[in-house]
Amino acid sequence: SAVLVCSVSSNKCAKTLVEHYYGVNHGQLDDGACYTPSMEVEQDHPAFAQGYFLKEAADGPEKAKCLDGTPALYYHRKGKGSGINKWFLHQQGGGWCYTEEGCVGRSKGALGSTKADKPTMALDGGYFSMDPNQNPLMYNWNVVKLRYCDGASLSGDKETPTNMSGSVLHYRGRAILDAEIKSLLIHRGMNKATDVVVSGCSAGGLATFLHCDRWASAIKQATKGVSKIACMPDSGFFLDEDRIPMYGSKMRNVYKFQESSAAGLNKACVLAHSADPEKCIFAQWVSEHIKTPTFPLQSMYDAWQTGNVLEPGADAATTNEFGKNLTGLVKSLLLRQPQHGIFLDSCHHHCGAWNGPLINKMNSSFALQEWYQKGSWALSNKGFFNQNQVYPCNGCCKAPDHFEEMITAR
């Protein structure tokens, strides 16, 4: 499998993406996105995905380059049957480099470069599953894995390269995003899309919050308003807080040296927070400005945030308070707009809970389908799937044993 998700049976993956590519002492802001080995398959294999290196956009005036100057890259598995004009777009996670020295290190590995990437890969399992019992909405859609190589959730917009002790760095996340959108619309046939779900996990989940409306605007324009578009950020609702780990300050530093701009963030958020636009690199502040219907998958006790935003080893009382605060922010910011929903579970995990927790007798894949097809307005919970259990809740992470029979019978 090539899916970068963690197992729901464990609250900690064996190795994160950052740890795999850079070792334990990596100097990165590791977002906890898990590493799962990818594999290549033959072209006639159902999971086959072709890679596309965006060399023209890297060499041209757009300068859409990874940190080390290599071109951006995505992998595309074609849709089949009723899914031939439907698209699931997944933005890879992998943390951030929160200092320029850290970006030098990142540029020498797979989260800052595409120089070692293979031309094809297999995409299956989890969000990419081709099994309708595991992925009822999107099992036969086109799926795209967008590689992460800019270190700032596609927000950087610095026009000129930075020389750090002889290493040349490119902070061109915004240009990469635009190049990906353009390539998919013009060269892969997404301009004929009837349905699109934009997603991402962890740092890719943050990218989904930040750029949801940008994706939607471009797709609507290309399809002349025909396409239905929604966003599904997974474990990306990061809070703007400066406790012991100083996460807020670290991300604000990313904003500064990568020269994030209104073009690389949510424009409405930047306009609303003109006195402090750095707020708009946090999902917390962006969420209330997103217009495109959005359905996050999120733990109220996110396993990465409890250690890296809250504090390592926080006790149960402190963790419960953090969960209540996160829930309150979701309700007052994201859910103030009725088109949005959320699958907010109480399992202590970060990403990787696809079809794990059960809320209102539904796991995340069936909740997404219900919300996407009917809309928040038509649902009795108005799209707010809320597990709302006290931490720690080990039973919150997995559906009951009879659940497999229940979803198969639907």
Side-chain angles (χ1 to χ4, degrees):
S1 170
V3 187
L4 301 171
V5 296
C6 310
S7 167
V8 186
S9 62
S10 170
N11 293 334
K12 185 171 175 19
C13 46
K15 188 187 293 183
T16 69
L17 272 170
V18 171
E19 288 169 345
H20 174 75
Y21 291 121
Y22 303 98
V24 177
N25 300 315
H26 44 68
Q28 307 292 313
L29 190 49
D30 187 346
D31 65 350
C34 295
Y35 169 74
T36 303
S38 62
M39 65 178 186
E40 289 188 285
V41 292
E42 295 298 321
Q43 196 163 351
D44 59 354
H45 192 284
F48 175 83
Q50 180 65 54
Y52 296 95
F53 292 84
L54 305 184
K55 193 170 187 307
E56 277 188 31
D59 296 340
E62 304 99 322
K63 295 178 284 190
K65 301 178 180 183
C66 300
L67 284 173
D68 72 336
T70 52
L73 165 68
Y74 62 81
Y75 293 92
H76 172 216
R77 189 192 80 205
K78 292 182 178 180
K80 295 177 176 64
S82 61
I84 197 166
N85 287 320
K86 299 178 181 182
W87 293 75
F88 173 67
L89 312 175
H90 184 77
Q91 298 167 110
Q92 184 186 22
W96 311 269
C97 44
Y98 60 94
T99 65
E100 297 203 82
E101 293 79 7
C103 287
V104 172
R106 178 174 280 244
S107 72
K108 301 182 189 306
L111 293 175
S113 173
T114 58
K115 64 184 178 184
D117 282 78
K118 295 178 179 178
T120 67
M121 75 181 317
L123 291 176
D124 192 12
Y127 325 100
F128 299 145
S129 176
M130 296 178 285
D131 180 351
N133 286 321
Q134 297 298 318
N135 191 14
L137 179 66
M138 307 179 295
Y139 69 95
N140 65 348
W141 290 21
N142 292 272
V143 298
V144 177
K145 175 186 168 185
L146 299 146
R147 280 275 284 106
Y148 181 35
C149 68
D150 69 286
S153 293
L154 299 166
S155 69
D157 203 18
K158 188 171 186 289
E159 189 65 28
T160 56
T162 295
N163 192 315
M164 285 293 294
S165 305
S167 294
V168 178
L169 300 173
H170 304 267
Y171 302 138
R172 302 296 296 154
R174 192 274 309 159
I176 288 174
L177 174 67
D178 286 348
E180 291 170 340
I181 293 171
K182 182 179 177 182
S183 177
L184 287 165
L185 288 172
I186 295 175
H187 301 301
R188 304 282 84 78
M190 199 169 71
N191 60 333
K192 298 183 181 69
T194 58
D195 297 81
V196 181
V197 172
V198 182
S199 185
C201 165
S202 203
L206 175 59
T208 307
F209 277 109
L210 300 184
H211 310 303
C212 176
D213 284 345
R214 194 175 187 87
W215 278 103
S217 176
I219 295 166
K220 282 180 181 176
Q221 185 175 355
T223 61
K224 297 180 171 57
V226 169
S227 55
K228 178 179 180 178
I229 306 159
C231 292
M232 187 192 73
D234 186 355
S235 303
F237 196 82
F238 295 101
L239 303 190
D240 179 11
E241 294 192 359
D242 260 348
R243 304 200 193 206
I244 293 172
M246 300 298 286
Y247 173 76
S249 290
K250 288 174 179 175
M251 288 303 293
R252 286 166 182 268
N253 196 47
V254 173
Y255 174 100
K256 288 172 186 171
F257 72 75
Q258 287 239 7
E259 296 188 11
S260 300
S261 66
L265 297 168
N266 181 294
K267 290 182 181 179
C269 178
V270 173
L271 185 64
H273 297 288
S274 57
D276 186 10
E278 294 171 9
K279 283 185 171 182
C280 298
I281 203 166
F282 298 93
Q284 171 183 334
W285 301 113
V286 170
S287 62
E288 68 175 324
H289 301 285
I290 299 171
K291 302 303 180 192
T292 308
T294 297
F295 188 77
L297 310 180
Q298 182 69 45
S299 168
M300 63 188 291
Y301 311 116
D302 182 284
W304 187 85
Q305 290 202 64
T306 53
N308 296 276
V309 177
L310 180 55
E311 61 186 73
D315 61 24
T318 306
T319 302
N320 276 297
E321 191 59 38
F322 182 85
K324 285 180 184 177
N325 180 47
L326 188 147
T327 303
L329 290 168
V330 164
K331 291 166 74 173
S332 64
L333 297 172
L334 177 74
L335 297 182
R336 66 186 295 177
Q337 296 187 78
Q339 72 270 31
H340 301 318
I342 191 170
F343 191 87
L344 186 65
D345 66 68
S346 304
C347 171
H348 190 236
H349 74 93
H350 181 70
C351 296
W354 187 255
N355 291 342
L358 194 64
I359 305 176
N360 298 355
K361 298 184 179 180
M362 289 186 190
N363 59 25
S364 54
S365 67
F366 280 90
L368 170 67
Q369 181 187 45
E370 188 87 348
W371 172 83
Y372 184 83
Q373 292 180 341
K374 296 179 180 179
S376 292
W377 297 273
L379 301 181
S380 59
N381 62 10
K382 300 305 177 187
F384 186 20
F385 291 80
N386 186 20
Q387 201 168 28
N388 196 30
Q389 298 297 309
V390 173
Y391 174 86
C393 178
N394 294 329
C396 291
C397 296
K398 193 169 184 285
D401 292 337
H402 68 276
F403 183 60
E404 186 71 32
E405 299 170 19
M406 186 177 82
I407 64 167
T408 304
R410 281 177 65 92

